mmCIF file of all heavy atoms in Angstrom:
data_model
loop_
_atom_site.group_PDB
_atom_site.id
_atom_site.type_symbol
_atom_site.label_atom_id
_atom_site.label_comp_id
_atom_site.label_asym_id
_atom_site.label_seq_id
_atom_site.Cartn_x
_atom_site.Cartn_y
_atom_site.Cartn_z
ATOM 1 N N ASN A 56 23.542 -4.052 -16.023
ATOM 2 C CA ASN A 56 22.476 -3.353 -16.738
ATOM 3 C C ASN A 56 21.171 -3.498 -15.973
ATOM 4 O O ASN A 56 20.532 -4.548 -15.992
ATOM 5 C CB ASN A 56 22.332 -3.942 -18.145
ATOM 6 C CG ASN A 56 21.462 -3.092 -19.038
ATOM 7 O OD1 ASN A 56 20.626 -2.324 -18.578
ATOM 8 N ND2 ASN A 56 21.662 -3.229 -20.337
ATOM 9 N N ARG A 57 20.766 -2.439 -15.308
ATOM 10 C CA ARG A 57 19.560 -2.488 -14.483
ATOM 11 C C ARG A 57 18.281 -2.523 -15.306
ATOM 12 O O ARG A 57 17.210 -2.823 -14.763
ATOM 13 C CB ARG A 57 19.550 -1.280 -13.539
ATOM 14 C CG ARG A 57 20.680 -1.347 -12.515
ATOM 15 C CD ARG A 57 21.145 0.025 -12.078
ATOM 16 N NE ARG A 57 22.364 -0.075 -11.281
ATOM 17 C CZ ARG A 57 23.577 -0.134 -11.818
ATOM 18 N NH1 ARG A 57 23.749 -0.088 -13.128
ATOM 19 N NH2 ARG A 57 24.646 -0.240 -11.035
ATOM 20 N N ALA A 58 18.380 -2.256 -16.592
ATOM 21 C CA ALA A 58 17.199 -2.304 -17.451
ATOM 22 C C ALA A 58 16.868 -3.712 -17.908
ATOM 23 O O ALA A 58 15.733 -3.986 -18.299
ATOM 24 C CB ALA A 58 17.395 -1.403 -18.669
ATOM 25 N N THR A 59 17.853 -4.613 -17.855
ATOM 26 C CA THR A 59 17.631 -5.961 -18.381
ATOM 27 C C THR A 59 18.053 -7.083 -17.442
ATOM 28 O O THR A 59 17.550 -8.200 -17.561
ATOM 29 C CB THR A 59 18.408 -6.150 -19.701
ATOM 30 O OG1 THR A 59 19.819 -6.002 -19.448
ATOM 31 C CG2 THR A 59 17.976 -5.136 -20.740
ATOM 32 N N GLN A 60 18.963 -6.815 -16.512
ATOM 33 C CA GLN A 60 19.583 -7.896 -15.749
ATOM 34 C C GLN A 60 19.112 -7.990 -14.309
ATOM 35 O O GLN A 60 19.763 -8.636 -13.500
ATOM 36 C CB GLN A 60 21.109 -7.727 -15.774
ATOM 37 C CG GLN A 60 21.706 -7.901 -17.156
ATOM 38 C CD GLN A 60 23.212 -7.718 -17.147
ATOM 39 O OE1 GLN A 60 23.735 -6.687 -16.723
ATOM 40 N NE2 GLN A 60 23.934 -8.723 -17.610
ATOM 41 N N THR A 61 17.998 -7.387 -13.997
ATOM 42 C CA THR A 61 17.501 -7.466 -12.623
ATOM 43 C C THR A 61 15.995 -7.628 -12.631
ATOM 44 O O THR A 61 15.305 -7.089 -13.502
ATOM 45 C CB THR A 61 17.890 -6.201 -11.837
ATOM 46 O OG1 THR A 61 17.441 -6.320 -10.489
ATOM 47 C CG2 THR A 61 17.289 -4.960 -12.455
ATOM 48 N N LEU A 62 15.479 -8.383 -11.681
ATOM 49 C CA LEU A 62 14.040 -8.533 -11.496
ATOM 50 C C LEU A 62 13.659 -7.791 -10.226
ATOM 51 O O LEU A 62 14.150 -8.106 -9.144
ATOM 52 C CB LEU A 62 13.655 -10.016 -11.380
ATOM 53 C CG LEU A 62 13.953 -10.898 -12.589
ATOM 54 C CD1 LEU A 62 13.546 -12.345 -12.308
ATOM 55 C CD2 LEU A 62 13.242 -10.388 -13.822
ATOM 56 N N ARG A 63 12.801 -6.792 -10.361
ATOM 57 C CA ARG A 63 12.399 -5.991 -9.223
ATOM 58 C C ARG A 63 10.890 -6.074 -9.024
ATOM 59 O O ARG A 63 10.128 -6.315 -9.958
ATOM 60 C CB ARG A 63 12.801 -4.518 -9.443
ATOM 61 C CG ARG A 63 14.246 -4.309 -9.823
ATOM 62 C CD ARG A 63 15.225 -4.699 -8.739
ATOM 63 N NE ARG A 63 15.125 -3.901 -7.548
ATOM 64 C CZ ARG A 63 16.156 -3.368 -6.895
ATOM 65 N NH1 ARG A 63 17.393 -3.549 -7.345
ATOM 66 N NH2 ARG A 63 15.977 -2.673 -5.803
ATOM 67 N N SER A 64 10.472 -5.856 -7.780
ATOM 68 C CA SER A 64 9.045 -5.902 -7.467
ATOM 69 C C SER A 64 8.331 -4.743 -8.149
ATOM 70 O O SER A 64 8.734 -3.593 -8.001
ATOM 71 C CB SER A 64 8.828 -5.825 -5.955
ATOM 72 O OG SER A 64 7.457 -5.676 -5.667
ATOM 73 N N PRO A 65 7.238 -5.017 -8.899
ATOM 74 C CA PRO A 65 6.555 -3.944 -9.629
ATOM 75 C C PRO A 65 5.625 -3.104 -8.782
ATOM 76 O O PRO A 65 5.139 -2.065 -9.234
ATOM 77 C CB PRO A 65 5.765 -4.709 -10.692
ATOM 78 C CG PRO A 65 5.472 -6.018 -10.039
ATOM 79 C CD PRO A 65 6.671 -6.333 -9.193
ATOM 80 N N GLY A 66 5.339 -3.515 -7.544
ATOM 81 C CA GLY A 66 4.396 -2.770 -6.732
ATOM 82 C C GLY A 66 3.054 -2.650 -7.429
ATOM 83 O O GLY A 66 2.581 -3.578 -8.101
ATOM 84 N N SER A 67 2.433 -1.489 -7.324
ATOM 85 C CA SER A 67 1.102 -1.289 -7.890
ATOM 86 C C SER A 67 1.084 -1.228 -9.412
ATOM 87 O O SER A 67 0.002 -1.209 -10.011
ATOM 88 C CB SER A 67 0.492 -0.003 -7.327
ATOM 89 O OG SER A 67 0.225 -0.150 -5.944
ATOM 90 N N ALA A 68 2.236 -1.179 -10.056
ATOM 91 C CA ALA A 68 2.262 -1.182 -11.519
ATOM 92 C C ALA A 68 1.729 -2.498 -12.071
ATOM 93 O O ALA A 68 1.463 -2.604 -13.273
ATOM 94 C CB ALA A 68 3.685 -0.940 -12.018
ATOM 95 N N ILE A 69 1.523 -3.471 -11.202
ATOM 96 C CA ILE A 69 0.989 -4.761 -11.636
ATOM 97 C C ILE A 69 -0.539 -4.767 -11.678
ATOM 98 O O ILE A 69 -1.156 -5.637 -12.305
ATOM 99 C CB ILE A 69 1.503 -5.883 -10.698
ATOM 100 C CG1 ILE A 69 1.547 -7.214 -11.423
ATOM 101 C CG2 ILE A 69 0.661 -5.976 -9.431
ATOM 102 C CD1 ILE A 69 2.261 -8.311 -10.660
ATOM 103 N N LYS A 70 -1.167 -3.804 -11.028
ATOM 104 C CA LYS A 70 -2.633 -3.824 -10.884
ATOM 105 C C LYS A 70 -3.398 -3.802 -12.203
ATOM 106 O O LYS A 70 -4.459 -4.431 -12.306
ATOM 107 C CB LYS A 70 -3.077 -2.679 -9.981
ATOM 108 C CG LYS A 70 -2.658 -2.871 -8.531
ATOM 109 C CD LYS A 70 -2.950 -1.646 -7.680
ATOM 110 C CE LYS A 70 -2.463 -1.844 -6.246
ATOM 111 N NZ LYS A 70 -2.607 -0.623 -5.425
ATOM 112 N N PRO A 71 -2.936 -3.103 -13.249
ATOM 113 C CA PRO A 71 -3.681 -3.161 -14.511
ATOM 114 C C PRO A 71 -3.838 -4.587 -15.053
ATOM 115 O O PRO A 71 -4.848 -4.895 -15.695
ATOM 116 C CB PRO A 71 -2.848 -2.293 -15.458
ATOM 117 C CG PRO A 71 -2.158 -1.323 -14.556
ATOM 118 C CD PRO A 71 -1.853 -2.110 -13.314
ATOM 119 N N PHE A 72 -2.869 -5.448 -14.779
ATOM 120 C CA PHE A 72 -2.971 -6.825 -15.248
ATOM 121 C C PHE A 72 -4.000 -7.604 -14.421
ATOM 122 O O PHE A 72 -4.682 -8.486 -14.938
ATOM 123 C CB PHE A 72 -1.599 -7.502 -15.177
ATOM 124 C CG PHE A 72 -0.566 -6.831 -16.031
ATOM 125 C CD1 PHE A 72 0.245 -5.834 -15.513
ATOM 126 C CD2 PHE A 72 -0.429 -7.174 -17.363
ATOM 127 C CE1 PHE A 72 1.183 -5.195 -16.302
ATOM 128 C CE2 PHE A 72 0.510 -6.544 -18.165
ATOM 129 C CZ PHE A 72 1.317 -5.543 -17.633
ATOM 130 N N VAL A 73 -4.106 -7.273 -13.142
ATOM 131 C CA VAL A 73 -5.109 -7.908 -12.286
ATOM 132 C C VAL A 73 -6.507 -7.506 -12.742
ATOM 133 O O VAL A 73 -7.391 -8.354 -12.938
ATOM 134 C CB VAL A 73 -4.879 -7.514 -10.816
ATOM 135 C CG1 VAL A 73 -5.967 -8.127 -9.927
ATOM 136 C CG2 VAL A 73 -3.495 -7.964 -10.348
ATOM 137 N N TYR A 74 -6.713 -6.209 -12.936
ATOM 138 C CA TYR A 74 -8.032 -5.741 -13.352
ATOM 139 C C TYR A 74 -8.349 -6.169 -14.792
ATOM 140 O O TYR A 74 -9.507 -6.419 -15.128
ATOM 141 C CB TYR A 74 -8.123 -4.222 -13.206
ATOM 142 C CG TYR A 74 -8.119 -3.778 -11.760
ATOM 143 C CD1 TYR A 74 -7.232 -2.807 -11.305
ATOM 144 C CD2 TYR A 74 -8.999 -4.341 -10.843
ATOM 145 C CE1 TYR A 74 -7.224 -2.399 -9.974
ATOM 146 C CE2 TYR A 74 -9.002 -3.942 -9.507
ATOM 147 C CZ TYR A 74 -8.111 -2.978 -9.079
ATOM 148 O OH TYR A 74 -8.113 -2.594 -7.758
ATOM 149 N N GLY A 75 -7.321 -6.260 -15.626
ATOM 150 C CA GLY A 75 -7.548 -6.764 -16.971
ATOM 151 C C GLY A 75 -8.027 -8.200 -16.959
ATOM 152 O O GLY A 75 -8.911 -8.592 -17.739
ATOM 153 N N THR A 76 -7.473 -9.007 -16.054
ATOM 154 C CA THR A 76 -7.913 -10.400 -15.920
ATOM 155 C C THR A 76 -9.352 -10.457 -15.425
ATOM 156 O O THR A 76 -10.136 -11.320 -15.846
ATOM 157 C CB THR A 76 -6.978 -11.149 -14.948
ATOM 158 O OG1 THR A 76 -5.623 -10.963 -15.356
ATOM 159 C CG2 THR A 76 -7.292 -12.630 -14.930
ATOM 160 N N ALA A 77 -9.709 -9.541 -14.534
ATOM 161 C CA ALA A 77 -11.086 -9.492 -14.031
ATOM 162 C C ALA A 77 -12.058 -9.093 -15.142
ATOM 163 O O ALA A 77 -13.148 -9.668 -15.270
ATOM 164 C CB ALA A 77 -11.182 -8.510 -12.866
ATOM 165 N N ILE A 78 -11.694 -8.120 -15.960
ATOM 166 C CA ILE A 78 -12.555 -7.710 -17.071
ATOM 167 C C ILE A 78 -12.705 -8.857 -18.064
ATOM 168 O O ILE A 78 -13.780 -9.092 -18.617
ATOM 169 C CB ILE A 78 -11.984 -6.445 -17.741
ATOM 170 C CG1 ILE A 78 -12.110 -5.266 -16.775
ATOM 171 C CG2 ILE A 78 -12.693 -6.141 -19.057
ATOM 172 C CD1 ILE A 78 -11.371 -4.023 -17.221
ATOM 173 N N GLU A 79 -11.629 -9.581 -18.263
ATOM 174 C CA GLU A 79 -11.687 -10.761 -19.126
ATOM 175 C C GLU A 79 -12.669 -11.793 -18.567
ATOM 176 O O GLU A 79 -13.307 -12.543 -19.323
ATOM 177 C CB GLU A 79 -10.275 -11.367 -19.229
ATOM 178 C CG GLU A 79 -10.126 -12.496 -20.214
ATOM 179 C CD GLU A 79 -8.688 -12.970 -20.276
ATOM 180 O OE1 GLU A 79 -8.165 -13.422 -19.230
ATOM 181 O OE2 GLU A 79 -8.069 -12.883 -21.349
ATOM 182 N N ALA A 80 -12.801 -11.817 -17.243
ATOM 183 C CA ALA A 80 -13.711 -12.764 -16.591
ATOM 184 C C ALA A 80 -15.149 -12.262 -16.556
ATOM 185 O O ALA A 80 -16.026 -12.938 -16.007
ATOM 186 C CB ALA A 80 -13.222 -13.041 -15.171
ATOM 187 N N GLY A 81 -15.408 -11.074 -17.105
ATOM 188 C CA GLY A 81 -16.778 -10.576 -17.170
ATOM 189 C C GLY A 81 -17.053 -9.330 -16.365
ATOM 190 O O GLY A 81 -18.181 -8.819 -16.362
ATOM 191 N N TRP A 82 -16.061 -8.822 -15.647
ATOM 192 C CA TRP A 82 -16.252 -7.599 -14.888
ATOM 193 C C TRP A 82 -16.256 -6.395 -15.833
ATOM 194 O O TRP A 82 -15.925 -6.510 -17.017
ATOM 195 C CB TRP A 82 -15.140 -7.425 -13.861
ATOM 196 C CG TRP A 82 -15.143 -8.437 -12.747
ATOM 197 C CD1 TRP A 82 -15.601 -9.722 -12.792
ATOM 198 C CD2 TRP A 82 -14.637 -8.229 -11.431
ATOM 199 N NE1 TRP A 82 -15.410 -10.342 -11.592
ATOM 200 C CE2 TRP A 82 -14.823 -9.448 -10.727
ATOM 201 C CE3 TRP A 82 -14.058 -7.162 -10.766
ATOM 202 C CZ2 TRP A 82 -14.440 -9.607 -9.391
ATOM 203 C CZ3 TRP A 82 -13.667 -7.315 -9.442
ATOM 204 C CH2 TRP A 82 -13.867 -8.521 -8.761
ATOM 205 N N THR A 83 -16.633 -5.247 -15.295
ATOM 206 C CA THR A 83 -16.570 -3.997 -16.043
ATOM 207 C C THR A 83 -15.831 -2.972 -15.207
ATOM 208 O O THR A 83 -15.511 -3.205 -14.028
ATOM 209 C CB THR A 83 -17.969 -3.461 -16.371
ATOM 210 O OG1 THR A 83 -18.577 -2.969 -15.161
ATOM 211 C CG2 THR A 83 -18.852 -4.526 -16.991
ATOM 212 N N GLN A 84 -15.604 -1.806 -15.814
ATOM 213 C CA GLN A 84 -14.941 -0.740 -15.060
ATOM 214 C C GLN A 84 -15.788 -0.283 -13.875
ATOM 215 O O GLN A 84 -15.247 0.252 -12.900
ATOM 216 C CB GLN A 84 -14.669 0.461 -15.968
ATOM 217 C CG GLN A 84 -13.706 0.192 -17.109
ATOM 218 C CD GLN A 84 -13.240 1.470 -17.757
ATOM 219 O OE1 GLN A 84 -12.659 2.343 -17.102
ATOM 220 N NE2 GLN A 84 -13.489 1.604 -19.060
ATOM 221 N N THR A 85 -17.087 -0.508 -13.946
ATOM 222 C CA THR A 85 -17.977 -0.049 -12.874
ATOM 223 C C THR A 85 -18.276 -1.135 -11.850
ATOM 224 O O THR A 85 -19.064 -0.912 -10.930
ATOM 225 C CB THR A 85 -19.294 0.448 -13.477
ATOM 226 O OG1 THR A 85 -19.868 -0.578 -14.285
ATOM 227 C CG2 THR A 85 -19.068 1.701 -14.304
ATOM 228 N N THR A 86 -17.671 -2.308 -12.008
ATOM 229 C CA THR A 86 -17.818 -3.327 -10.976
ATOM 230 C C THR A 86 -17.241 -2.777 -9.674
ATOM 231 O O THR A 86 -16.158 -2.198 -9.661
ATOM 232 C CB THR A 86 -17.078 -4.617 -11.371
ATOM 233 O OG1 THR A 86 -17.645 -5.132 -12.571
ATOM 234 C CG2 THR A 86 -17.187 -5.665 -10.270
ATOM 235 N N THR A 87 -17.991 -2.936 -8.587
ATOM 236 C CA THR A 87 -17.547 -2.349 -7.319
ATOM 237 C C THR A 87 -16.957 -3.396 -6.386
ATOM 238 O O THR A 87 -17.399 -4.545 -6.349
ATOM 239 C CB THR A 87 -18.711 -1.646 -6.607
ATOM 240 O OG1 THR A 87 -19.798 -2.565 -6.463
ATOM 241 C CG2 THR A 87 -19.170 -0.438 -7.402
ATOM 242 N N VAL A 88 -15.975 -2.981 -5.640
ATOM 243 C CA VAL A 88 -15.265 -3.843 -4.693
ATOM 244 C C VAL A 88 -15.105 -3.072 -3.393
ATOM 245 O O VAL A 88 -14.854 -1.863 -3.397
ATOM 246 C CB VAL A 88 -13.893 -4.262 -5.250
ATOM 247 C CG1 VAL A 88 -13.171 -5.167 -4.266
ATOM 248 C CG2 VAL A 88 -14.040 -4.955 -6.589
ATOM 249 N N LEU A 89 -15.235 -3.768 -2.292
ATOM 250 C CA LEU A 89 -15.159 -3.137 -0.979
ATOM 251 C C LEU A 89 -13.728 -2.776 -0.616
ATOM 252 O O LEU A 89 -12.815 -3.595 -0.733
ATOM 253 C CB LEU A 89 -15.731 -4.074 0.085
ATOM 254 C CG LEU A 89 -15.765 -3.545 1.525
ATOM 255 C CD1 LEU A 89 -16.717 -2.358 1.637
ATOM 256 C CD2 LEU A 89 -16.165 -4.663 2.476
ATOM 257 N N ASP A 90 -13.535 -1.548 -0.181
ATOM 258 C CA ASP A 90 -12.251 -1.113 0.365
ATOM 259 C C ASP A 90 -12.405 -0.988 1.874
ATOM 260 O O ASP A 90 -12.839 0.043 2.397
ATOM 261 C CB ASP A 90 -11.822 0.219 -0.235
ATOM 262 C CG ASP A 90 -10.492 0.687 0.350
ATOM 263 O OD1 ASP A 90 -9.611 -0.169 0.545
ATOM 264 O OD2 ASP A 90 -10.354 1.893 0.618
ATOM 265 N N ALA A 91 -12.110 -2.071 2.547
ATOM 266 C CA ALA A 91 -12.236 -2.122 4.009
ATOM 267 C C ALA A 91 -11.227 -3.131 4.524
ATOM 268 O O ALA A 91 -10.723 -3.970 3.774
ATOM 269 C CB ALA A 91 -13.660 -2.523 4.396
ATOM 270 N N PRO A 92 -10.884 -3.065 5.812
ATOM 271 C CA PRO A 92 -9.902 -4.005 6.356
ATOM 272 C C PRO A 92 -10.277 -5.456 6.068
ATOM 273 O O PRO A 92 -11.447 -5.826 6.098
ATOM 274 C CB PRO A 92 -9.923 -3.699 7.854
ATOM 275 C CG PRO A 92 -10.379 -2.284 7.939
ATOM 276 C CD PRO A 92 -11.365 -2.114 6.830
ATOM 277 N N VAL A 93 -9.262 -6.250 5.804
ATOM 278 C CA VAL A 93 -9.465 -7.659 5.497
ATOM 279 C C VAL A 93 -8.243 -8.416 6.006
ATOM 280 O O VAL A 93 -7.152 -7.858 6.127
ATOM 281 C CB VAL A 93 -9.654 -7.865 3.975
ATOM 282 C CG1 VAL A 93 -8.390 -7.494 3.223
ATOM 283 C CG2 VAL A 93 -10.074 -9.294 3.652
ATOM 284 N N SER A 94 -8.429 -9.667 6.332
ATOM 285 C CA SER A 94 -7.312 -10.469 6.837
ATOM 286 C C SER A 94 -7.351 -11.850 6.207
ATOM 287 O O SER A 94 -8.407 -12.349 5.812
ATOM 288 C CB SER A 94 -7.369 -10.576 8.364
ATOM 289 O OG SER A 94 -8.572 -11.205 8.777
ATOM 290 N N PHE A 95 -6.164 -12.478 6.139
ATOM 291 C CA PHE A 95 -6.029 -13.800 5.539
ATOM 292 C C PHE A 95 -5.067 -14.621 6.386
ATOM 293 O O PHE A 95 -4.131 -14.081 6.983
ATOM 294 C CB PHE A 95 -5.483 -13.702 4.110
ATOM 295 C CG PHE A 95 -6.305 -12.852 3.194
ATOM 296 C CD1 PHE A 95 -6.019 -11.498 3.036
ATOM 297 C CD2 PHE A 95 -7.370 -13.387 2.486
ATOM 298 C CE1 PHE A 95 -6.762 -10.701 2.195
ATOM 299 C CE2 PHE A 95 -8.123 -12.593 1.642
ATOM 300 C CZ PHE A 95 -7.827 -11.256 1.496
ATOM 301 N N ARG A 96 -5.304 -15.909 6.435
ATOM 302 C CA ARG A 96 -4.384 -16.794 7.151
ATOM 303 C C ARG A 96 -3.070 -16.865 6.388
ATOM 304 O O ARG A 96 -3.052 -17.100 5.180
ATOM 305 C CB ARG A 96 -4.982 -18.193 7.282
ATOM 306 C CG ARG A 96 -6.228 -18.259 8.143
ATOM 307 C CD ARG A 96 -6.644 -19.709 8.345
ATOM 308 N NE ARG A 96 -7.875 -19.807 9.114
ATOM 309 C CZ ARG A 96 -9.081 -19.821 8.574
ATOM 310 N NH1 ARG A 96 -9.208 -19.761 7.262
ATOM 311 N NH2 ARG A 96 -10.157 -19.898 9.327
ATOM 312 N N ASP A 97 -1.986 -16.650 7.114
ATOM 313 C CA ASP A 97 -0.656 -16.696 6.499
ATOM 314 C C ASP A 97 0.370 -17.034 7.575
ATOM 315 O O ASP A 97 0.727 -16.186 8.389
ATOM 316 C CB ASP A 97 -0.316 -15.357 5.848
ATOM 317 C CG ASP A 97 1.001 -15.411 5.081
ATOM 318 O OD1 ASP A 97 1.737 -16.400 5.221
ATOM 319 O OD2 ASP A 97 1.284 -14.451 4.335
#
């Protein structure tokens, strides 16, 4: 049963939960974030 017995990567469908957490932290829909190249140590 693929509806219940598998865990799959949600991709961008997870983003509403990220932004919801940010709004909970005091952000608003109009809070701006830079869309530019970024790198992290990994």
Side-chain angles (χ1 to χ4, degrees):
N56 192 336
R57 294 151 190 85
T59 62
Q60 294 180 304
T61 182
L62 298 179
R63 308 295 296 226
S64 172
S67 292
I69 207 170
K70 291 173 183 174
F72 299 92
V73 177
Y74 291 128
T76 308
I78 292 170
E79 187 177 61
W82 293 29
T83 72
Q84 296 193 58
T85 55
T86 298
T87 54
V88 181
L89 182 65
D90 179 40
V93 65
S94 61
F95 303 92
R96 295 187 183 90
D97 186 349

